[in-house]
Amino acid sequence: MEKIIALCKRRGFIYPGSEIYGGLANTYDYGPAGAELLRNLRNLWWDNFVHKRDDIVGLDASVISHQEVWRASGHTSGFADAMIDCKNCKYRMRADHLIEEKTKEKAEGKSIGELEEIIENNPKITCPNCGKHDWTNVRKFNLLFPVNLGIVEGDQSLAYLRGETAQGMFINFKNVVDSSRVRLPFGIAQLGKSFRNEITPGNSVFRTLEFEQGEIEYFFDPEISNWEKLFADWKKLMWDFITKKLGINEENLRWREHDEKERSFYSKKTEDLEYKFPFGFKELWGIAYRTNYDLTQHGKFSNKDLSITDPQTNKKIVPHVIEPAVGINRMLLMILADSYIEEKERIVLKLNPKLAPYKAAVFPLLANKPELVEKAKKIYHDLRKNIVTVFDGRGNIGKRYFAQDEIGTPFCITVDFETLENDTVTVRDRDTMKQERVKIEDLISLIVKKIG
Ligand code: GAP
């Protein structure tokens, strides 16, 4: 993990948040390479689950929402983590994470009483900060971020930053039905920021206060569609996206079902697609059968009729949902971890070319030969009309290859003296390090073909 974090900083993927002021725990900023990678990832997700499907439409709902949204959904009362503090050094952490870190046993979903009993009876569960076994009681801590709107403080002006994008889909369910041509079964998809007041140690962007989610609410009539089949179909779609579209190694993935204690209050069945991060197998993408809990709750709290008529049965129903929900930043961390390779003489990010921040880099062989620099710049300007390309004229060619390998750039194009004679360049493949000589006029089609 340290090596990946160092590479992320060195090559402009991820920086600690507010770093020049000493940092702000659990916040991160994305640098030039990270911003491109995030954008590519979002676009791939959106293309796959919205543009390529007839039955799913997109939504972009507000991050700030009415307090009633979160009362109706149950988040103001039920969306809480169990926290514990070290009496000696005041270090605070999630009680289940503390147990998991110290005993390697799963503790998520256990009750407060169970967590307290485990910690009390196990002197090995010491503070990761000071090493003492001197803990407070376990207390629940709500994860929603309250915000006060306008200048009046107090309950009237209270709103929340959304804790999941999902609620945007439920509260706009009727709007989408009335303003588009969707028919059951159909999905509403959303990509956007969510906020949770998490207390969590390290592991970069795995768990942060502010993160982006890609969620789909797939609405259906349980009398017509079998939820178990839909659940299984969605699991396959998720698996295929991760292995085929992103190119993640299958042996680093597994499914894990939540037991009754761990499952969220709204779910009848939940499974996590877990990835083997450098710190162990952890949730990447969850899928839940939320029944029609949310629409029913919003119907009650808003006093609005959120039922629709299913044209297949002519019956009025409040549809049920299957919800695949993934964290885009967590997916980015998985991609970095999965593609990070140390070879004898270099570190290389073997990113799927579709995700790579830059598809090509163009260099003059020698930085002090104006005729090479000029030719290389011309090629760079032509290429970037079609392909995201960088120009690098610093240092020596070996250093430039080294840097681009660490960023994951699939193709490096070098302009040398032969270029000036016959308009050909060398194209170096990131993974094999093999070079081929190519006519400049064929460059774009060659790279586009290789990216696939
Ligand atoms: N609507 C359901 C829902 O939000 P979740 O399991 O709490 O379910 C879905 O979140 C996904 O969002 C997780 O699988 C994870 O990838 C991501 N996620 C959740 N909390 C996160 C955090 N604090 N930081 C980064 N990603 C997070």
Side-chain angles (χ1 to χ4, degrees):
M1 215 32 218
E2 282 89 49
K3 287 177 179 174
I4 295 170
I5 291 172
L7 179 136
C8 284
K9 177 96 200 292
R10 182 164 79 238
R11 296 298 174 198
F13 283 95
I14 303 170
Y15 312 128
S18 308
E19 196 182 12
I20 62 165
Y21 290 103
L24 182 65
N26 303 326
T27 66
Y28 291 90
D29 298 332
Y30 290 81
E36 296 291 340
L37 177 52
L38 257 187
R39 193 168 282 266
N40 294 339
L41 188 52
R42 282 187 200 117
N43 289 346
L44 211 61
W45 187 92
W46 191 265
D47 184 57
N48 197 65
F49 292 112
V50 183
H51 288 169
K52 292 274 191 308
R53 295 193 56 125
D54 293 328
D55 58 344
I56 301 185
V57 291
L59 181 80
D60 199 339
S62 173
V63 159
I64 302 173
S65 29
H66 199 289
Q67 51 174 289
E68 287 300 284
V69 172
W70 304 98
R71 284 210 321 121
S73 68
H75 283 76
T76 49
S77 50
F79 193 47
D81 279 342
M83 297 294 174
I84 194 162
D85 294 283
C86 171
K87 284 190 194 157
N88 182 50
C89 73
K90 313 288 176 244
Y91 187 77
R92 173 174 285 182
M93 78 182 285
R94 265 174 69 166
D96 54 350
H97 287 179
L98 173 69
I99 295 171
E100 286 174 10
E101 190 182 309
K102 295 286 176 179
T103 66
K104 308 290 170 229
E105 299 285 330
K106 196 100 202 126
E108 204 168 328
K110 290 203 184 296
S111 69
I112 289 200
E114 288 168 328
L115 294 167
E116 276 180 347
E117 199 183 323
I118 297 171
I119 294 170
E120 219 171 280
N121 294 334
N122 192 338
K124 282 200 195 126
I125 302 182
T126 52
C127 172
N129 191 43
C130 71
K132 287 256 159 53
H133 178 91
D134 190 8
W135 297 105
T136 61
N137 292 336
V138 176
R139 294 179 313 279
K140 283 270 179 185
F141 187 76
N142 194 283
L143 295 177
L144 283 180
F145 273 110
V147 281
N148 281 99
L149 307 181
I151 49 166
V152 199
E153 285 208 6
D155 201 42
Q156 288 291 309
S157 63
L158 177 70
Y160 290 100
L161 296 185
R162 65 184 175 200
E164 58 171 7
T165 55
Q167 295 306 321
M169 269 86 90
F170 297 123
I171 60 175
N172 283 291
F173 171 72
K174 257 306 178 58
N175 282 335
V176 173
V177 169
D178 293 345
S179 60
S180 66
R181 289 151 42 117
V182 290
R183 285 173 66 144
L184 291 175
F186 72 88
I188 307 180
Q190 188 170 197
L191 270 177
K193 291 271 174 102
S194 290
F195 301 82
R196 294 181 190 176
N197 206 352
E198 308 253 18
I199 291 172
T200 148
N203 294 337
S204 181
V205 296
F206 179 79
R207 195 183 298 279
T208 47
L209 303 179
E210 173 188 341
F211 56 99
E212 189 162 351
Q213 289 187 304
E215 297 199 287
I216 299 162
E217 302 304 328
Y218 198 77
F219 296 94
F220 63 96
D221 179 348
E223 273 192 22
I224 300 285
S225 310
N226 175 300
W227 75 264
E228 273 143 326
K229 173 158 184 342
L230 273 182
F231 200 95
D233 291 347
W234 269 104
K235 276 179 64 180
K236 175 151 179 11
L237 291 170
M238 292 158 65
W239 184 270
D240 286 351
F241 182 79
I242 296 291
T243 55
K244 296 192 180 132
K245 296 276 167 173
L246 304 186
I248 300 300
N249 289 310
E250 289 199 3
E251 63 267 27
N252 291 334
L253 294 164
R254 71 175 188 197
W255 286 104
R256 189 180 66 78
E257 184 169 356
H258 287 204
D259 63 25
E260 213 165 301
K261 282 185 183 163
E262 187 184 356
R263 214 163 48 222
S264 299
F265 53 91
Y266 51 69
S267 178
K268 201 159 170 182
K269 180 181 171 89
T270 301
E271 286 194 47
D272 287 343
L273 179 52
E274 294 189 331
Y275 176 74
K276 194 175 174 190
F277 287 94
F279 40 92
F281 267 106
K282 298 279 172 203
E283 172 186 353
L284 170 77
W285 199 338
I287 173 166
Y289 172 32
R290 284 178 91 128
T291 66
N292 61 0
Y293 172 82
D294 299 87
L295 282 183
T296 307
Q297 286 291 100
H298 287 301
K300 273 190 211 149
F301 277 68
S302 66
N303 242 338
K304 301 271 166 16
D305 178 13
L306 298 184
S307 63
I308 56 171
T309 306
D310 185 346
Q312 294 187 70
T313 58
N314 250 340
K315 280 191 199 156
K316 272 196 121 192
I317 58 154
V318 178
H320 285 220
V321 282
I322 299 283
E323 176 198 69
V326 71
I328 301 296
N329 316 79
R330 202 174 277 190
M331 201 143 69
L332 178 137
L333 186 64
M334 167 191 71
I335 289 163
L336 291 171
D338 213 68
S339 55
Y340 179 97
I341 314 263
E342 282 182 357
E343 292 178 355
K344 216 166 162 204
E345 279 161 9
R346 64 173 187 159
I347 294 169
V348 55
L349 275 190
K350 292 198 173 171
L351 290 172
N352 170 349
K354 282 205 174 74
L355 291 171
Y358 312 110
K359 311 304 175 208
V362 182
F363 316 140
L365 179 65
L366 300 171
N368 58 0
K369 294 283 174 205
E371 62 277 33
L372 294 183
V373 174
E374 197 185 322
K375 187 80 180 170
K377 283 216 163 139
K378 162 99 180 54
I379 294 172
Y380 160 64
H381 286 295
D382 285 345
L383 271 186
R384 74 174 194 186
K385 287 179 193 152
N386 296 283
I387 298 165
V388 183
T389 310
V390 279
F391 178 86
D392 194 353
R394 300 163 310 160
N396 65 44
I397 190 97
K399 278 198 180 142
R400 293 183 218 147
Y401 282 148
F402 192 76
Q404 293 304 326
D405 284 346
E406 288 199 351
I407 295 171
T409 308
F411 306 106
C412 288
I413 295 154
T414 302
V415 170
D416 55 18
F417 291 104
E418 203 181 320
T419 313
L420 304 178
E421 285 164 21
N422 62 9
D423 265 347
T424 61
V425 287
T426 61
V427 178
R428 173 186 176 270
D429 181 287
R430 176 197 67 199
D431 299 347
T432 62
M433 293 194 284
K434 292 223 168 77
Q435 298 192 22
E436 57 178 318
R437 239 187 143 92
V438 173
K439 281 192 189 151
I440 294 172
E441 64 192 50
D442 296 336
L443 263 181
I444 291 180
S445 57
L446 178 99
I447 294 174
V448 167
K449 197 167 141 210
K450 287 198 179 204
I451 292 170

